[in-house]
Amino acid sequence: MAELEKLDRNEEGIARVLEILGERYGERLLTGLSVREQHAHSTSYIPAQLPDGVFAPNNVEEVQDVVRLCAEHRVPVIPFGTGSSLEGHVNAPAGGISLDLMNMNRIIAVNAEDLDCTVEPGVTREDLNHYLRDTGLFFPIDPGANASLGGMASTRASGTNAVRYGTMRDNVVNVQAVMPDGRLITTARRARKTSAGYDLTRLMVGSEGTLGIITAMTLKLYGIPQAVSGGVCSFPDVESACQAVIMTIQMGVPVARIEFVNGLAMKAINAYSDLDYPEGPCLFLEFHGTDAGVKEQAETFGEIAEEFGGGPFQWTSVAEERTKLWKARHNAYWACVALRPGAQGLSTDVCVPISRLAECIVETEADIAESGLIATVIGHVGDGNFHVLVLMDMNDPKEIEQAEAFVARLNRRALSMDGTCTGEHGIGQGKMRFLEEELGDAVDVMRAVKEAIDPHNIMNPGKIIGARRT
């Protein structure tokens, strides 16, 4: 197993910060083992690295207070949302304070006429859409888990709707953030376009807490579509399914979701959700628009699928039936984990140009078979992004080594096709070496930005970029 970068602990500084926070906030500073373990868990083979204390601020002033104290004593600060990230983002390799932002969960403003809202980082996507339900608006980014919006912005999250609505990068208008010296900045106003200076909003979105702590953000909203249709279509093989995706995109069919599920994953979904779809490569689709529009879009896709040997396309505009369909898709993780009782799932993702998608998935399935792994493939294929869930014993070093070698081959396969080592999971600790392979000297530019903004390396250290290369 590849070793994590070793970081030095500032024992004296950590002790002093814990002492001062305890004096200021009493029992709100948590130092028990169980709560520290909860704030360092990772759904991967990456070992947990615990913070020394956990503090949940109630407002931005408390965030600033903690950050200024940690800056003074050179102690790391690790922001924490729901903990659903996948690449070791919340680990504390040099110890420090885990700043749990879930108490900062206010919806500050909804500007319905402007189609935007301003929220604190602890608001989850489900909470926001529940709040918006009577306004006729919704927030479309759906990574599957009920993640916090601050965490979604920090990791540049995506999900099933990205092919139509984009990712968090496209839907964050501005952020308010506490910088490493405790200053509070706002990266932009609420205008939908600006040419004013560097694009600090995009710099903060996806920075994984390494440049500052997001304490509020303005998000784009969309009108709830008049009508929605969706369904499932089976295909004889992976290549025909991917070719249908490519033609759908090229023909300009405004698909909202188009998800690939391979044969083993469909078998798991059927068993878990009591369904009876064909257990081969399938596409899950959804269309948004008017009654006439979604009917036309579904019929057009059915014709495309037939051209590539797929179908019939079973679609519906009945809300209850669509809900059952997408609930099964969102439960795919648990369905696939059930394929190997007692095992845990290692989820990893890559993204390639859609013209290389079929080739990449076919080669990946062959690699899985040759290596003897049990693994499923599911993808947000409208933008070339797919996930592999490897079922493994996280306590078996041989299985960890085997899985890690497979992930390395998968990442390099995507890079060889002019893709990326991660479409939406982020870099964290797990993919730092592949970022270097992907972007080369550009990582040194990132490192220079990090060093300029956070010279003492207190903001979520040991993530995205490592020490400067010599």
Side-chain angles (χ1 to χ4, degrees):
M1 184 173 71
E3 291 188 8
L4 300 177
E5 185 178 55
K6 290 183 169 52
L7 300 179
D8 294 331
R9 285 175 54 89
N10 176 7
E11 299 290 358
E12 182 178 346
I14 291 170
R16 184 60 180 147
V17 165
L18 290 174
E19 179 184 4
I20 295 172
L21 288 178
E23 292 172 353
R24 290 181 186 175
Y25 296 104
E27 295 182 354
R28 290 179 58 195
L29 174 67
L30 305 175
T31 57
L33 178 61
S34 62
V35 73
R36 292 190 294 121
E37 288 176 337
Q38 291 167 12
H39 286 75
H41 75 85
S42 177
T43 53
S44 77
Y45 54 81
I46 299 172
Q49 296 169 307
L50 279 57
D52 296 281
V54 177
F55 181 74
N58 294 324
N59 51 55
V60 67
E61 290 79 16
E62 291 184 350
V63 175
Q64 289 180 280
D65 184 41
V66 173
V67 170
R68 285 176 181 137
L69 180 63
C70 288
E72 179 184 354
H73 295 278
R74 310 292 190 261
V75 170
V77 182
I78 304 94
F80 186 94
T82 62
S84 58
S85 56
L86 297 168
E87 293 291 347
H89 296 86
V90 298
N91 262 345
I97 304 299
S98 175
L99 211 57
D100 188 326
L101 298 164
M102 294 308 291
N103 285 351
M104 295 180 63
N105 57 5
R106 293 186 305 136
I107 297 172
I108 298 168
V110 174
N111 306 294
E113 293 182 349
D114 296 323
L115 296 177
D116 70 40
C117 67
T118 301
V119 301
E120 290 186 325
V123 178
T124 68
R125 65 174 185 86
E126 289 183 4
D127 289 341
L128 177 58
N129 281 323
H130 182 75
Y131 185 90
L132 293 170
R133 69 187 188 282
D134 295 330
T135 68
L137 304 173
F138 81 117
F139 181 69
I141 308 304
D142 177 7
N146 187 25
S148 67
L149 291 164
M152 288 169 61
S154 292
T155 56
R156 201 184 302 141
S158 181
T160 58
N161 281 321
V163 64
R164 175 163 183 153
Y165 298 101
T167 71
M168 286 298 285
R169 179 190 66 182
D170 308 298
N171 288 281
V172 178
V173 178
N174 65 43
V175 303
Q176 179 191 81
V178 174
M179 304 308 287
D181 59 2
R183 284 181 298 169
L184 182 67
I185 69 165
T186 301
T187 58
R189 300 296 183 95
R190 284 199 301 118
R192 285 300 179 99
K193 60 189 294 188
T194 176
S195 295
Y198 295 152
D199 192 345
L200 295 181
T201 303
R202 297 298 182 277
L203 183 63
M204 295 301 297
V205 173
S207 63
E208 301 181 12
T210 62
L211 300 179
I213 297 174
I214 295 174
T215 54
M217 71 210 83
T218 298
L219 306 172
K220 295 180 183 178
L221 301 177
Y222 298 81
I224 295 173
Q226 179 192 51
V228 178
S229 69
V232 176
C233 187
S234 63
F235 288 85
D237 51 49
V238 170
E239 186 169 2
S240 58
C242 292
Q243 289 301 320
V245 171
I246 293 171
M247 180 166 285
T248 301
I249 300 300
Q250 289 178 339
M251 288 182 63
V253 179
V255 61
R257 310 190 203 196
I258 186 163
E259 300 282 291
F260 171 82
V261 178
N262 79 342
L264 183 59
M266 281 305 305
K267 178 180 179 180
I269 288 171
N270 279 343
Y272 190 85
S273 298
D274 194 25
L275 299 172
D276 59 355
Y277 292 119
E279 293 182 354
C282 286
L283 295 177
F284 285 51
L285 298 101
E286 188 168 276
F287 306 96
H288 296 175
T290 63
D291 289 324
V294 298
K295 180 176 184 294
E296 180 182 5
Q297 293 161 28
E299 290 173 349
T300 299
F301 175 77
E303 294 170 0
I304 293 171
E306 186 177 359
E307 182 174 339
F308 291 100
F313 178 37
Q314 306 171 50
W315 67 276
T316 179
S317 57
V318 178
E320 292 78 8
E321 294 178 11
R322 287 190 297 99
T323 299
K324 182 178 181 181
L325 166 70
W326 287 105
K327 182 178 181 181
R329 167 61 185 88
H330 281 317
N331 285 338
Y333 175 87
W334 303 111
C336 293
V337 168
L339 288 169
R340 184 183 174 186
Q344 293 174 274
L346 168 64
S347 182
T348 189
D349 85 311
V350 295
C351 188
V352 296
I354 60 171
S355 62
R356 306 296 299 273
L357 182 63
E359 180 184 2
C360 195
I361 293 178
V362 168
E363 290 186 13
T364 298
E365 287 193 326
D367 190 351
I368 292 169
E370 290 171 8
S371 62
L373 294 168
I374 300 175
T376 57
V377 179
I378 295 176
H380 313 314
V381 289
D383 44 21
N385 181 208
F386 69 91
H387 305 251
V388 180
L389 184 69
V390 181
L391 304 181
M392 56 187 287
D393 180 353
M394 297 287 189
N395 296 312
D396 185 335
K398 290 185 178 179
E399 287 200 22
I400 291 174
E401 183 178 359
Q402 185 182 24
E404 190 179 46
F406 164 76
V407 170
R409 292 193 299 273
L410 173 61
N411 290 329
R412 292 183 175 121
R413 181 176 305 118
L415 295 181
S416 74
M417 298 179 182
D418 206 17
T420 176
C421 66
T422 175
E424 60 184 27
H425 288 185
I427 296 297
Q429 294 173 302
K431 294 200 172 184
M432 289 169 62
R433 60 187 169 126
F434 302 109
L435 181 66
E436 295 271 3
E437 294 180 26
E438 180 171 333
L439 296 178
D441 288 342
V443 178
D444 282 335
V445 178
M446 296 182 192
R447 190 173 289 112
V449 172
K450 165 72 169 173
E451 291 173 354
I453 293 175
D454 182 20
H456 302 298
N457 195 25
I458 68 165
M459 286 291 173
N460 207 11
K463 317 296 167 60
I464 304 183
I465 54 177
R468 184 173 292 278
R469 293 176 294 174
T470 57

